[in-house]
Amino acid sequence: MRVGLEAFVMLATALFAVGLFGALSKRSAIMVLMSLELMANAVNILLVAASRYVTPATMDGWFFAVFSLVVSAAEIGLGLSLVLALYRKVRTAELDRLDTLKG
Amino acid sequence: MPDVNPVAFVVLAALALGGAVMTVLTRNVVHAAFWLLEVLVATAGLYLVLSAEFIALVQLMVYAGAVSVLVLFVIMLTLRRREDSVRTRDLSWPVAAMSAVLAVAIAYVTRALPVPAPERAAQPDVAAFGHALFTRWVLPFEIASGILLVALVGAVWWAGRGEEL
């Protein structure tokens, strides 16, 4: 039995859906950031797998995956520092308590 | 077609998926951070199965090493009492249904897509990867370093300011 690209597509899709569910349903800002990390992770798995199956010689998808790793590392760092700055100001990291702009 | 070990793939995929579900479902934020760490390590295993050794190493160092520690730090800094880490279950069924529909839709659409055969079979190696990174991909590489520098300065500026905010 050989593992095809379809198996990786299914795995990445499932991981992305779980991350999307977490990102949209959680009320803690940190949990939302962790779920975003899950989604970015799913995309990276797909990039690495597709490159291994389709362009093994030039490894194009691997470079995409490396740059995507860089961007999501920067994103999680900025996101967490934003959560910290927000926590200093309003003393909470709960997203549904941030309702200053709510009419 | 690359030779992917089916047993290793099934074990690592189950670990990644189970960990992801536990990250979302657990009520304790600290436990969620550790489940996320487990998912990231299993992902590094998946990269190894795909013979992407360099990316697996980067994944372990950057994600399992740095990002999960950063997440834990912020969790600890934003909890006032130990009990605050246990949260009420905040799951919404419409969002669950929407995510499931999206997953099924993606699976349905990609099922019919043909997988093009590679022009030539090749075993990727780290030396070729590094050579290409500093020749063909050198401009994105420099832009990535710029992004990291800007993100570093921005994170320090945001998080480092004191109470005068």
Side-chain angles (χ1 to χ4, degrees):
Chain A
M1 187 192 119
R2 310 201 65 165
V3 181
L5 184 55
E6 300 79 17
F8 284 95
V9 175
M10 292 295 162
L11 173 67
T13 307
L15 279 173
F16 188 86
V18 172
L20 179 70
F21 168 67
L24 292 182
S25 67
K26 290 290 169 185
R27 290 200 196 95
S28 158
I30 301 169
M31 284 301 300
V32 171
L33 282 172
M34 283 160 66
S35 305
L36 287 180
E37 212 50 37
L38 279 180
M39 292 165 74
N41 206 40
V43 175
N44 274 335
I45 291 178
L46 191 56
L47 279 174
V48 172
S51 172
R52 182 73 183 89
Y53 279 85
V54 181
T55 58
T58 53
M59 300 176 277
D60 289 335
W62 288 12
F63 294 101
F64 287 6
V66 166
F67 296 127
S68 147
L69 280 175
V70 169
V71 171
S72 55
E75 166 246 308
I76 192 91
L78 281 179
L80 288 174
S81 70
L82 195 56
V83 170
L84 270 187
L86 203 61
Y87 179 78
R88 274 220 197 90
K89 202 172 166 66
V90 294
R91 290 279 140 196
T92 183
E94 302 290 309
L95 292 176
D96 51 358
R97 304 236 325 255
L98 304 172
D99 49 6
T100 317
L101 279 179
K102 199 172 176 181
Chain B
M1 202 155 151
D3 198 12
V4 172
N5 187 334
V7 179
F9 172 76
V10 169
V11 170
L12 288 167
L15 280 175
L17 205 52
V21 170
M22 286 308 291
T23 308
V24 177
L25 289 188
T26 183
R27 286 174 56 201
N28 191 318
V29 187
V30 181
H31 292 182
F34 277 101
W35 281 114
L36 180 69
L37 171 62
E38 191 261 354
V39 176
L40 297 174
V41 173
T43 305
L46 281 170
Y47 294 158
L48 275 185
V49 164
L50 287 163
S51 48
E53 296 92 358
F54 176 72
I55 301 180
L57 198 66
V58 170
Q59 169 88 6
L60 274 184
M61 286 199 301
V62 175
Y63 280 91
V67 166
S68 53
V69 174
L70 194 62
V71 168
L72 277 172
F73 258 107
V74 175
I75 289 174
M76 302 295 172
L77 284 171
T78 55
L79 292 181
R80 263 172 284 178
R81 301 184 310 274
R82 190 185 180 85
E83 304 83 75
D84 286 349
S85 64
V86 182
R87 311 172 44 74
T88 53
R89 207 171 277 282
D90 46 0
L91 307 173
S92 90
W93 289 111
V95 172
M98 200 193 84
S99 308
V101 167
L102 180 82
V104 172
I106 294 176
Y108 182 77
V109 170
T110 54
R111 171 196 51 100
L113 289 182
V115 176
E119 300 114 38
R120 56 195 173 91
Q123 187 68 27
D125 66 314
V126 179
F129 186 87
H131 187 261
L133 184 62
F134 286 102
T135 50
R136 191 172 165 215
W137 297 89
V138 70
L139 183 64
F141 179 83
E142 295 297 337
I143 295 173
S145 60
I147 289 174
L148 280 179
L149 179 66
V150 172
L152 178 75
V153 173
V156 170
W157 184 75
W158 260 337
R161 284 192 297 181
E163 295 295 330
E164 83 275 14
L165 195 72

